[in-house]
Amino acid sequence: MLDSFFFGLILVLSLLFFLFFSHRIMAHVFDPDLDKVVQREYVMYAIPGGDLGRQLDELWEESVAVCGRNGAHKSFPHITLCQFFGCDDGRIPQLVHCLQRVISTQGKPPDSFNLKFYSSGTYIGLFLEDQTSSQFLRTTMSSCSTELGKIGIKMEPHKKQLHMTLAYQFHADQQKTLEQMCKKVDPKAPVKWELRLYSRDVRVGKQDVYRVLYSLNPRNDDELELNEDDFMLMESGDKSETESEGWYHGTSFMTGVTGVFPGNYVERCAETDCWTLHRAWKIS
């Protein structure tokens, strides 16, 4: 009698597991993006470390806490060195090897990078003023572009004045507060510079990114399964449409599945949080 009971219990549990996992699998069957190849795009940044890097990290934290997020918080402090460019996945080793060869033959970098504070009604940043450091970075990126072109990878160096954005896309009444915060950063503080190669999923650059804080199993067919440390990609308008009900509409970065989820299970984060760092080269 007892054996029959346990046998029946095992059958019931097996059936429940089958129904649960088959439901999760079937949720992907009609997903139009299931077989779509997700392209990646690449970019080169100059990243400050040392004491200057620490001060900038503190600025990012303080400005979010006091004024909320602005456009600069989509990323970390950096100087953009080129436009985003494409590269097939199978050619990444060639890409990295080519950049390594060029950067290692550029000679001694300048002893310092002279950054000058600039502020307007809609933008606050640090601009690279001295010709020596600017020319070093531009020459390095021009050489990288030329060598990559020889193997069929097109990279366009940044043509405008090199700079580091501290704040932009903020409300006009926050300008003075943000300016005071930014002026606490000492542009002449000791710094260690790195050139870094990053890549991102092309979807990330077009949407807001939210980090999943807690795991959650869906209760209805239109709800997303949430996994801790996954990211949700959301069109800017999707959040406002459902925010009054406490539910957001977005796409899982890990699975590509789209659905709704509770807003208190996610938090806004920098889009760079889900980028991939491929290589870093110390230049100072």
Side-chain angles (χ1 to χ4, degrees):
M1 184 69 178
L2 191 59
D3 290 342
S4 299
F5 171 77
F6 281 112
F7 180 73
L9 181 61
I10 291 173
L11 286 177
V12 171
L13 292 175
S14 299
L15 178 61
L16 290 175
F17 275 110
F18 171 78
L19 292 174
F20 174 78
F21 286 107
S22 63
H23 172 75
R24 302 310 303 155
I25 293 173
M26 291 303 294
H28 293 266
V29 170
F30 301 106
D31 183 354
D33 297 327
L34 184 62
D35 297 321
K36 184 182 294 184
V37 177
V38 178
Q39 299 294 326
R40 300 192 69 80
E41 50 189 4
Y42 296 76
V43 71
M44 289 283 292
Y45 283 168
I47 305 295
D51 189 47
L52 178 59
R54 178 189 58 77
Q55 291 184 40
L56 290 166
D57 289 340
E58 291 175 353
L59 168 64
W60 254 236
E61 293 179 4
E62 182 183 14
S63 56
V64 168
V66 176
C67 298
R69 305 186 71 85
N70 64 66
H73 296 121
K74 294 179 181 179
S75 181
F76 38 69
H78 68 276
I79 295 176
T80 301
L81 300 177
C82 69
Q83 305 299 318
F84 281 95
F85 62 96
C87 177
D88 294 336
D89 290 346
R91 305 194 65 189
I92 295 175
Q94 283 182 283
L95 169 62
V96 173
H97 177 73
C98 184
L99 293 174
Q100 168 67 33
R101 186 176 70 251
V102 173
I103 294 172
S104 64
T105 58
Q106 286 305 297
K108 186 178 183 300
D111 294 329
S112 63
F113 284 36
N114 183 23
L115 297 167
K116 184 176 181 180
F117 183 84
Y118 172 81
S119 177
S120 69
T122 58
Y123 178 89
I124 305 173
L126 297 173
F127 281 74
L128 194 57
E129 287 292 314
D130 64 289
Q131 291 297 318
T132 303
S133 57
S134 180
Q135 187 62 34
F136 173 81
L137 292 176
R138 292 191 183 281
T139 300
T140 299
M141 296 313 298
S142 178
S143 299
C144 288
S145 177
T146 299
E147 293 303 311
L148 288 175
K150 294 178 181 179
I151 60 174
I153 299 175
K154 184 179 180 180
M155 181 187 74
E156 183 178 350
H158 192 68
K159 295 179 180 179
K160 297 181 180 180
Q161 185 175 2
L162 298 176
H163 63 276
M164 185 187 310
T165 297
L166 302 182
Y168 76 107
Q169 292 180 341
F170 49 79
H171 294 294
D173 59 358
Q174 296 178 333
Q175 198 270 341
K176 287 190 176 181
T177 301
L178 286 168
E179 185 177 282
Q180 290 174 354
M181 293 181 193
C182 293
K183 283 185 174 180
K184 291 190 293 185
V185 175
D186 179 10
K188 296 182 180 180
V191 59
K192 298 292 186 181
W193 289 96
E194 286 187 347
L195 302 185
R196 295 185 186 179
L197 173 67
Y198 288 95
S199 72
R200 69 178 182 183
D201 182 322
V202 294
R203 299 172 300 171
V204 173
K206 302 174 182 178
Q207 302 184 67
D208 294 335
V209 180
Y210 287 73
R211 182 188 299 277
V212 176
L213 301 175
Y214 318 104
S215 298
L216 179 69
N217 290 321
R219 296 183 179 180
N220 299 301
D221 291 340
D222 62 341
E223 295 179 18
L224 275 181
E225 177 181 3
L226 299 183
N227 294 293
E228 189 175 348
D229 290 333
D230 188 7
F231 297 94
M232 292 295 132
L233 308 181
M234 296 167 51
E235 297 289 347
S236 298
D238 287 344
K239 178 174 178 290
S240 60
E241 291 172 5
T242 57
E243 188 175 13
S244 60
E245 302 173 4
W247 287 79
Y248 297 167
H249 182 271
T251 301
S252 166
F253 180 75
M254 289 182 178
T255 67
V257 178
T258 298
V260 298
F261 52 91
N264 59 346
Y265 276 66
V266 300
E267 68 175 0
R268 183 74 181 275
C269 66
E271 72 165 68
T272 48
D273 285 359
C274 53
W275 286 17
T276 298
L277 172 62
H278 292 273
R279 188 65 187 268
W281 295 270
K282 294 181 179 180
I283 60 172
S284 67

